[in-house]
Amino acid sequence: GTSVSNSALEATFELVNANNPLEQAAKLGQRVMTNYRHLINTMVKVEATPKVGWRSPDGQHRSWIADENSLLVMANRLAKIHETQPRTLKVTGTLTGASLRRHKFEFTGDNGLVTGTAPTELANKVTEFFGRNCRITFVETTYIDEATDQEKRSRVLVDIEAR
């Protein structure tokens, strides 16, 4: 299996090398992005020039090299990404897709298709209700990139219950 440290390093290198920070914000959530903004702003403030490399257990090399200018560009880009107040929603329908390994769900309900992240602690309920009529509760946050006027929604499953 994959270790926690390996997964964390993979996610970190994916984040720092991302071409689209809006996509990462929706994927990782508000807390991670707040910490990431703080890290980048701190590096800009102290004029850091990070050079980091890592080789994954399967032999893939990952690296991140940033100069002061690229950090400043990144800080400005991250400053333009904002999130809306999270909303808790409930919908009725059928759990039509799921990946326990990737922590994803797909639900067809009242308002069409809903996709998002299914936390590990809901794995038993995802298995129990897969393909069945049920009601889900999820939290939806919209991330907005003011620089491009793009929006990206993040949905996290909170509960599944019988109808």
Side-chain angles (χ1 to χ4, degrees):
T2 303
S3 71
V4 172
S5 58
N6 186 56
S7 296
L9 284 166
E10 288 283 356
T12 300
F13 278 94
E14 189 175 317
L15 175 62
V16 296
N17 289 309
N19 290 326
N20 187 350
L22 181 64
E23 193 78 32
Q24 293 298 312
K27 179 179 174 184
L28 299 171
Q30 182 178 5
R31 194 188 87 204
V32 171
M33 291 308 290
T34 298
N35 290 333
Y36 183 49
R37 279 187 196 106
H38 178 70
L39 172 67
I40 297 299
N41 288 330
T42 299
M43 286 193 281
V44 167
K45 185 188 248 183
V46 299
E47 299 177 352
T49 54
K51 295 176 180 123
V52 184
W54 170 69
R55 187 170 306 281
S56 67
D58 64 0
Q60 293 184 15
H61 182 70
R62 306 277 193 268
S63 65
W64 178 51
I65 300 170
D67 60 21
E68 291 177 45
N69 186 53
S70 65
L71 287 174
L72 188 56
V73 167
M74 194 179 303
N76 289 335
R77 187 92 163 89
L78 291 171
K80 302 266 187 215
I81 296 174
H82 301 283
E83 55 276 332
T84 61
Q85 187 68 32
R87 300 181 313 153
T88 301
L89 303 164
K90 292 182 183 234
V91 293
T92 303
T94 305
L95 187 60
T96 54
S99 171
L100 297 178
R101 188 172 63 81
R102 291 193 173 131
H103 307 288
K104 299 290 182 191
F105 78 93
E106 188 175 279
F107 187 85
T108 305
D110 308 332
N111 301 327
L113 184 65
V114 176
T115 60
T117 303
T120 304
E121 54 271 15
L122 289 178
N124 288 340
K125 283 191 172 186
V126 168
T127 302
E128 176 186 349
F129 287 101
F130 186 78
R132 294 180 47 201
N133 286 329
C134 55
R135 181 157 84 187
I136 64 168
T137 304
F138 63 95
V139 174
E140 180 179 83
T141 305
T142 303
Y143 294 87
I144 303 160
D145 186 339
E146 293 176 356
T148 63
D149 286 330
Q150 289 182 314
E151 289 186 6
K152 184 78 177 166
R153 293 191 196 309
S154 169
R155 297 178 183 107
V156 178
L157 193 60
V158 175
D159 195 19
I160 308 172
E161 57 193 9
R163 289 188 5 166

